[in-house]
Amino acid sequence: MKHFLVRSTTQALLRRSRNFSTAAIAQPRHHHGGGTYGSFYLQRMSTLPEKKDQQPEENKNETNNKNSKAVVSSYWGIARPKLLKEDGTEWPWNCFMPWESYSSDVSIDVTKHHVPKTFTDKFAFRSVKFLRVLSDLYFKERYGCHAMMLETIAGVPGMVAGMLLHLKSLRKFQHTGGWIKALLEEAENERMHLMTMVELVKPSWHERLLVITAQGVFFNAFFVFYILSPKTAHRFVGYLEEEAVISYTQHLNAIESGKVENVPAPAIAIDYWRLPKDATLKDVITVIRADEAHHRDVNHFASDIHHQGKELKEAPAPIGYH
């Protein structure tokens, strides 16, 4: 009888322990660790053995391979739909979309020059000429490297000006006449020039270091410059673009004379400017020079608006000239 009572008591205690463990798993408690920590806590408290993954090794490897290829989850609904080119092939670029490509207006006059008249115009003109002398001394006839360096600088003013106009629009609750989009469009176009030149020229480590240094100095200097005098800043960029037109003209002359090999155009340039499949470096430099001439005219126009005592919003912005 005594042994029977001991056995019954032991079995009851064991049943009660199992019921407690099951209840703990069915009703998770809240701990300040939250989520994963709470799950880990319950597994540690439970007396039940952990369930081991019974999935075969081959299935595991297949699942891991699928997960490694799944770069973007569609959970948030932001996965990019498949885009096709005109010939039916899949669009290969993420840095720009088909509707952002265009045919450059190469009929633009590349010889135009704004004659400096006011003190601020002369200051902007001489500053650009000084910088031109420094760049020519460093790059000499390395036209590709010179163009690459030029584009890392040329992509800054449009972004800075567009950003400051954007903030001004938010502060004053007013439209800007499309100038934010026009200036950011300019900055994006200059960045695509750089992406194209990088395909053609592989920069060395010291050129990369120079780019980092120049961009850090120029961005902050132009930021202050634009706050102090937008009209002088736009005039400065206008003259900077004039020098870019001269540089690309020299590059074209070097290609035509045989100093620079007229290699096939990179695929990114063919798709961005809608060039023919057999386009060459000469075609690429021609369309880039046309873009720089457009930037020249836009920035001189913006400076003229300020010289008249007006704000940019009072004149419609040249949106979509690319």
Side-chain angles (χ1 to χ4, degrees):
M1 185 66 179
K2 182 177 180 181
H3 292 292
F4 175 76
L5 290 175
V6 171
R7 191 183 304 114
S8 299
T9 304
T10 303
Q11 290 176 353
L13 289 172
L14 288 173
R15 279 197 299 271
R16 185 176 180 183
S17 175
R18 290 196 186 102
N19 290 340
F20 175 78
S21 300
T22 305
I25 296 172
Q27 299 179 2
R29 299 177 185 178
H30 295 285
H31 302 280
H32 42 252
T36 305
Y37 175 80
S39 176
F40 176 74
Y41 177 84
L42 290 177
Q43 289 179 3
R44 291 294 301 273
M45 290 295 294
S46 173
T47 58
L48 295 177
E50 294 184 5
K51 292 184 178 179
K52 295 185 177 179
D53 191 1
Q54 301 296 327
Q55 189 178 6
E57 192 66 28
E58 292 180 2
N59 293 343
K60 277 186 184 179
N61 293 335
E62 186 177 349
T63 303
N64 291 335
N65 290 335
K66 288 181 179 179
N67 291 338
S68 64
K69 294 178 182 178
V71 179
V72 179
S73 172
S74 61
Y75 178 81
W76 300 105
I78 58 172
R80 193 192 81 177
K82 285 188 177 181
L83 301 174
L84 301 179
K85 297 169 65 174
E86 293 178 356
D87 59 3
T89 59
E90 190 170 350
W91 185 254
W93 311 106
N94 290 324
C95 52
F96 69 101
M97 297 295 105
W99 51 87
E100 295 169 339
S101 62
Y102 66 100
S103 297
S104 185
D105 179 15
V106 295
S107 65
I108 191 169
D109 185 3
V110 297
T111 63
K112 287 168 65 176
H113 167 63
H114 182 278
V115 179
K117 298 176 182 178
T118 65
F119 171 78
T120 55
D121 286 358
K122 293 176 182 178
F123 170 79
F125 179 71
R126 289 170 183 169
S127 298
V128 170
K129 283 298 184 181
F130 173 73
L131 294 174
R132 176 59 190 259
V133 170
L134 294 179
S135 64
D136 284 348
L137 287 174
Y138 181 80
F139 291 104
K140 297 180 180 178
E141 293 187 350
R142 291 181 296 158
Y143 299 104
C145 295
H146 194 177
M148 182 197 64
M149 180 66 186
L150 181 69
E151 298 302 344
T152 62
I153 297 298
V156 171
M159 180 61 66
V160 171
M163 175 186 67
L164 290 174
L165 282 179
H166 174 73
L167 296 176
K168 182 179 180 181
S169 176
L170 297 179
R171 289 195 309 272
K172 295 193 172 183
F173 314 109
Q174 59 185 210
H175 295 286
T176 60
W179 277 96
I180 295 174
K181 187 172 183 179
L183 292 168
L184 294 181
E185 188 179 70
E186 175 187 315
E188 174 65 9
N189 180 247
E190 296 285 9
R191 190 183 68 85
M192 290 306 300
H193 292 177
L194 176 63
M195 295 297 102
T196 301
M197 296 310 301
V198 168
E199 292 291 323
L200 296 165
V201 182
K202 304 303 179 184
S204 60
W205 69 267
H206 57 85
E207 287 170 342
R208 290 176 179 271
L209 181 61
L210 179 62
V211 166
I212 294 171
T213 305
Q215 188 184 85
V217 172
F218 185 72
F219 177 89
N220 290 285
F222 190 82
F223 180 86
V224 176
F225 191 11
Y226 198 90
I227 291 176
L228 295 176
S229 179
K231 67 179 179 181
T232 310
H234 280 294
R235 189 69 77 202
F236 175 87
V237 179
Y239 287 130
L240 196 67
E241 300 295 358
E242 287 185 15
E243 294 302 320
V245 171
I246 294 172
S247 294
Y248 283 116
T249 300
Q250 293 174 348
H251 199 163
L252 283 172
N253 293 337
I255 294 173
E256 292 172 354
S257 65
K259 288 183 179 180
V260 176
E261 184 182 358
N262 192 22
V263 298
I268 190 172
I270 292 174
D271 285 339
Y272 183 66
W273 282 284
R274 299 177 189 170
L275 298 173
K277 298 297 181 183
D278 58 349
T280 62
L281 176 60
K282 181 179 178 180
D283 300 314
V284 175
I285 300 302
T286 300
V287 294
I288 291 178
R289 182 180 66 169
D291 289 348
E292 304 293 8
H294 281 287
H295 300 161
R296 170 202 65 194
D297 294 348
V298 169
N299 280 279
H300 281 315
F301 173 51
S303 183
D304 288 343
I305 295 170
H306 284 293
H307 271 286
Q308 295 171 15
K310 299 178 181 179
E311 293 188 23
L312 292 182
K313 66 177 182 178
E314 298 181 52
I319 300 174
Y321 60 90
H322 289 121

